Amino acid sequence: MGGRCCTMSHAGRARLSSFATVHNLLTSFAGKVLVSWALFIKFGLESRVSPVLNNKGGALSYYLMALGSLIFFVQLVAIKAMEVIMVILHISGAILCIVHIKLVKDAFHTGVIAGIKLYRDKIDMKQAIDKIQLSFRCCGASSMEDWFKNSWVSLTYLNVKHPDVEKYLQNGEFIKDDAPFSCCDMTAPRPCVHHDVLNVSAHRFVGTRGTLYTEGCSYALITFWKTYVIYPTFVALIILIFMHLVSIILARLLQTSLDGALDADDPLGEGVAYCCYRSPCSILPSGDPSKVMAKKAAAAETSTEETDYTQDSFSSAATDSRGGDFADQWETQHPTGREPRERNSSRERTRQNDRREGKKKKGKKGKRDKRDKRGKKKGKKKKKPKRKKKKKKPRKMKKPKRPKKFKSKKTRRR
């Protein structure tokens, strides 16, 4: 950096450009990390909860894959015009994480309820529900009572004619306060009680805690999804937003400093670096201070010489044509001493020069060479022999007839 505030020398610009290059490489590497994280979410974490997620968690992973690949390409090619668009995409990704929590929570609840209803008929769903309850240490969708409200035992495995079984049959379904073995708490001090759970008199030393998991699987699954998917993704997107903002600031500082040095006709000198146009640093001059001051002094000298020349010429012309009174009057009306410039003076001079050259050519060769529309000279046409005109005889003018005098009857008789 230079000695003054907000200024940057040529060496400072070189160091800043090398730092910006390293920063771009780190950001492109972060894009690759984001793509790998999205693949881990898709094929690693979603596979554990896919039976109850119903394919509603894939939108976030696909969005992160596309965003990470775009970051890698933009930063590797150094397309600075896309930086603002990338910041907008990162902000939209952070908003998608917040919206994704509500969608996944509803999907987990409905998925676990559907799994409980299909537990007795589909073996793959039975295995998936048992695996989820054992790995996440949960029971049911909201609590263990979800198993008490649904028939999860097939009648083929029961003696329907037995009186102890008949009293629990409702509309051809066996509904009882039982839960599968996967709801058993492995940390309980006594053997698991998952039949006749609500019949306290039938069991001893159960305690208030019981032997089943009290937490529902929908809550356990959404906690897992927030901890391992939503929160890390949100933090990664915020970090990427700051990285893109830093790259925008670095590019803007380099651009403004180099533009300032070029404006001062000193590419290797100092230049003012700023981010916003109306910032305090944007008011400072750019370039080498000694060169800038010399340039300003030369411009001031030329302007004073021009004003003195115009004032002297106009005052002399005014005294020659109209006397000294007019010059004094003009100086009072125009205290700056500058003569108002005539419009199109250069055009009038060119016209006068053209007229003088035309007169010279006319004096030497006579008339100018005629040219056609394309600017080519017209060739001389051969003169045709003139025909002799017949002399017409002058017409004889007829004398006008005199009007007859009117004769009365008396004169006629005479």
Side-chain angles (χ1 to χ4, degrees):
M1 293 289 179
R4 294 181 300 168
C5 175
C6 299
T7 58
M8 191 182 298
S9 62
H10 179 69
R13 286 194 293 272
R15 289 194 296 270
L16 190 63
S17 61
S18 61
F19 177 74
T21 304
V22 174
H23 185 267
N24 286 338
L25 292 175
L26 289 174
T27 310
S28 63
F29 180 73
K32 291 180 69 176
V33 172
L34 189 64
V35 172
S36 60
W37 171 246
L39 292 172
F40 175 70
I41 292 172
K42 182 66 181 173
F43 299 104
L45 299 178
E46 284 186 16
S47 61
R48 296 180 63 183
V49 295
S50 58
V52 295
L53 192 57
N54 298 324
N55 297 322
K56 291 186 179 180
L60 182 63
S61 59
Y62 290 135
Y63 185 85
L64 293 176
M65 288 179 197
L67 185 61
S69 58
L70 187 62
I71 291 168
F72 177 74
F73 175 74
V74 169
Q75 295 297 325
L76 193 64
V77 184
I79 304 174
K80 293 302 175 185
M82 290 285 292
E83 292 290 345
V84 179
I85 299 173
M86 296 304 298
V87 172
I88 294 170
L89 291 175
H90 283 77
I91 294 171
S92 62
I95 295 170
L96 180 62
C97 289
I98 298 170
V99 176
H100 190 71
I101 295 173
K102 177 66 177 174
L103 295 175
V104 173
K105 185 177 181 180
D106 296 337
F108 281 143
H109 184 74
T110 55
V112 173
I113 292 293
I116 290 171
K117 291 179 179 179
L118 296 173
Y119 187 87
R120 69 177 184 181
D121 298 327
K122 291 187 176 182
I123 188 65
D124 55 347
M125 184 59 71
K126 175 185 177 300
Q127 293 175 357
I129 293 296
D130 288 337
K131 188 176 180 181
I132 287 170
Q133 291 187 144
L134 287 171
S135 58
F136 292 98
R137 297 183 179 183
C138 59
C139 184
S142 301
S143 63
M144 68 178 77
E145 293 179 0
D146 293 327
W147 292 103
F148 305 160
K149 300 174 185 177
N150 293 282
S151 175
W152 56 274
V153 179
S154 178
L155 296 179
T156 55
Y157 304 112
L158 298 174
N159 186 7
V160 182
K161 296 180 181 180
H162 195 277
D164 293 336
V165 176
E166 284 183 356
K167 64 181 179 180
Y168 292 109
L169 292 175
Q170 298 179 7
N171 299 324
E173 292 182 351
F174 183 76
I175 297 175
K176 191 185 176 193
D177 53 348
D178 296 341
F181 75 97
S182 56
C183 286
C184 292
D185 189 357
M186 292 180 289
T187 60
R190 65 157 303 187
C192 181
V193 176
H194 59 95
H195 294 290
D196 293 330
V197 178
L198 299 178
N199 189 3
V200 182
S201 60
H203 308 288
R204 298 180 63 187
F205 305 108
V206 176
T208 56
R209 180 182 173 184
T211 58
L212 301 179
Y213 293 117
T214 57
E215 188 179 47
C217 287
S218 60
Y219 179 77
L221 289 172
I222 195 62
T223 305
F224 163 77
W225 198 257
K226 285 180 183 178
T227 306
Y228 293 99
V229 177
I230 301 296
Y231 295 152
T233 305
F234 187 81
V235 172
L237 290 173
I238 295 298
I239 293 170
L240 285 170
I241 287 170
F242 280 106
M243 292 179 75
H244 282 290
L245 289 175
V246 169
S247 62
I248 290 170
I249 292 168
L250 293 176
R252 179 61 177 166
L253 292 174
L254 285 171
Q255 178 194 3
T256 52
S257 177
L258 187 59
D259 289 342
L262 291 174
D263 291 339
D265 296 333
D266 187 15
L268 299 178
E270 292 183 347
V272 177
Y274 57 91
C275 292
C276 300
Y277 178 69
R278 293 294 181 183
S279 63
C281 295
S282 63
I283 304 170
L284 297 175
S286 302
D288 192 359
S290 60
K291 293 183 179 180
V292 172
M293 295 301 293
K295 192 175 180 180
K296 285 184 178 180
E301 287 178 1
T302 53
S303 63
T304 52
E305 287 177 359
E306 287 178 359
T307 52
D308 294 339
Y309 175 74
T310 52
Q311 186 176 3
D312 294 339
S313 60
F314 185 77
S315 60
S316 61
T319 52
D320 291 339
S321 60
R322 299 186 183 181
D325 296 334
F326 178 73
D328 297 336
Q329 185 179 359
W330 184 85
E331 288 178 357
T332 54
Q333 292 178 359
H334 304 278
T336 55
R338 293 186 179 180
E339 180 185 2
R341 296 180 180 177
E342 296 179 359
R343 294 183 180 178
N344 300 328
S345 59
S346 60
R347 293 181 182 177
E348 290 178 0
R349 290 174 185 172
T350 52
R351 287 175 185 173
Q352 290 177 2
N353 293 331
D354 292 339
R355 288 173 187 173
R356 289 173 186 172
E357 290 177 358
K359 287 179 181 180
K360 289 178 181 179
K361 289 180 180 179
K362 190 173 181 181
K364 291 180 180 180
K365 297 182 180 181
K367 295 183 179 179
R368 293 185 184 178
D369 296 330
K370 294 183 179 178
R371 297 177 181 271
D372 56 1
K373 294 181 180 178
R374 297 180 182 176
K376 296 181 179 180
K377 291 183 180 180
K378 293 182 178 180
K380 292 182 180 180
K381 295 181 179 180
K382 294 181 180 180
K383 292 182 180 180
K384 294 181 180 181
K386 294 182 180 179
R387 293 180 181 179
K388 292 181 180 180
K389 293 181 180 180
K390 293 180 180 181
K391 292 182 180 181
K392 292 182 180 181
K393 293 180 180 180
R395 292 181 181 179
K396 291 181 180 181
M397 297 296 290
K398 292 182 180 181
K399 293 181 180 181
K401 292 182 181 182
R402 292 181 180 179
K404 294 180 179 181
K405 292 182 180 180
F406 180 77
K407 295 181 182 181
S408 60
K409 291 181 180 181
K410 292 182 180 180
T411 54
R412 289 178 184 172
R413 288 176 183 175
R414 289 179 185 177

